[in-house]
Amino acid sequence: MRGKERERRGIPLRAVVPNAVTALALCSGLTGIRFAIGEEWEKAIAAIVVAAVLDGMDGRIARMLKGASRFGAELDSLSDNIAFGVSPAVIMYLWSLQYWPRGYGWLFSLAYAVCMALRLARFNARIDAEDQPHKSAGFLTGVPAPAGAGLMLLPLYLWLASDRQWTWTHDYRLVAPWAAFVAFLAISSLATFSWTSFRLRRNVRLEAIVAVAMIGGALAVAPLETLSVAAILYVASIPFSVASYARVRRLRAGGAARRSTPPGSAPGEPTA
């Protein structure tokens, strides 16, 4: 009997595994700062990419093992704040923004980190809310944390991809407004595409697999160029996601108006 009680009090392994993956993402993000201090920029980028991959895995592992918990959700948010908020801010400061005289560059790194923390706090505050129009339509609100980190590091990608020849991307006068722009995207209410909401037609399934394989090959052969193109395309997609969500809102409003119209009356006709 005591053995059974002890077994019930123990923590199941399925609850530990996703949290361990989240902790690894946190460690990877912090390791990016360590590499940046040593001016090993390629390794710093790789550490952030690994953190993003692990961040995409932990939630799915938790659902697969039925080990989701409130503790895991809070840990995931803290990990995202450090790996995709603090770490990219410090990396970009050490790479470029520190050269702004009188320390003004730190303000932009600080603004990015604070905006990312505010975004994650907003996400946590709404996690149990039933009324989430963006989520219900298959969109995200603002730029998610991993994507924000990827955008923040875009000038560094371009500099390294050019074999350090594009010195204009290293200029703090470019990096600072870019950091402010990405910070705005993180806390904005713009509707952005969520890749989990995309549905492929059955007749393009093989083509999609080939495209994923090609992207994986590009990441292996030319990672910096691939990351640069991905970041640019993501920014370019934001106006389309905003327009797409506006179209969804119009369709929803039209459907609601039709449902509220009594049978036999014309839309917009006053009713008693």
Side-chain angles (χ1 to χ4, degrees):
M1 189 68 180
R2 291 180 179 176
K4 292 182 179 179
E5 292 179 357
R6 189 179 300 110
E7 183 179 356
R8 293 193 191 98
R9 288 196 298 266
I11 301 175
L13 183 61
R14 67 174 182 272
V16 176
V17 173
N19 293 335
V21 175
T22 303
L24 287 175
L26 170 61
C27 293
S28 183
L30 287 173
T31 302
I33 296 178
R34 182 265 179 195
F35 286 131
I37 293 173
E39 298 187 357
E40 299 178 86
W41 307 116
E42 292 89 346
K43 291 182 179 180
I45 292 173
I48 301 299
V49 172
V50 170
V53 172
L54 293 173
D55 179 69
M57 293 172 54
D58 57 3
R60 287 161 181 77
I61 292 174
R63 289 189 290 271
M64 182 179 63
L65 299 179
K66 297 181 180 180
S69 64
R70 188 69 185 185
F71 173 83
E74 295 296 334
L75 179 62
D76 182 70
S77 182
L78 291 172
S79 174
D80 287 355
N81 186 30
I82 294 175
F84 308 124
V86 175
S87 293
V90 174
I91 290 172
M92 296 304 283
Y93 177 76
L94 294 175
W95 175 63
S96 171
L97 293 174
Q98 67 168 320
Y99 299 109
W100 194 330
R102 302 179 63 180
Y104 290 131
W106 176 244
L107 296 177
F108 290 87
S109 290
L110 196 64
Y112 169 81
V114 170
C115 287
M116 192 60 69
L118 292 174
R119 171 190 168 74
L120 294 168
R122 181 180 64 182
F123 175 82
N124 287 346
R126 295 180 179 178
I127 195 168
D128 295 324
E130 295 182 1
D131 184 19
Q132 298 190 56
H134 287 169
K135 184 177 180 181
S136 63
F139 293 85
L140 299 173
T141 302
V143 171
L151 294 180
M152 180 67 165
L153 297 174
L154 176 59
L156 180 55
Y157 302 155
L158 296 172
W159 182 66
L160 292 171
S162 68
D163 198 19
R164 312 191 180 197
Q165 298 300 312
W166 289 358
T167 55
W168 57 272
T169 65
H170 191 273
D171 193 331
Y172 62 82
R173 288 169 293 187
L174 169 72
V175 176
W178 177 253
F181 173 67
V182 177
F184 163 76
L185 292 179
I187 61 171
S188 71
S189 297
L190 298 174
T192 56
F193 287 124
S194 171
W195 71 272
T196 57
S197 65
F198 288 107
R199 296 292 183 270
L200 295 175
R201 298 177 182 177
R202 293 182 180 274
N203 59 342
V204 297
R205 180 174 55 185
L206 295 180
E207 290 83 351
I209 294 174
V210 172
V212 172
M214 293 296 292
I215 293 173
L219 281 171
V221 175
L224 295 169
E225 291 82 354
T226 305
L227 290 172
S228 300
V229 172
I232 294 170
L233 290 178
Y234 183 82
V235 173
S237 74
I238 293 178
F240 295 98
S241 65
V242 172
S244 180
Y245 178 67
R247 184 166 57 251
V248 171
R249 287 188 62 185
R250 288 194 298 269
L251 292 174
R252 285 182 169 182
R258 286 191 295 271
R259 287 193 298 269
S260 63
T261 302
S265 62
E269 179 181 332
T271 58

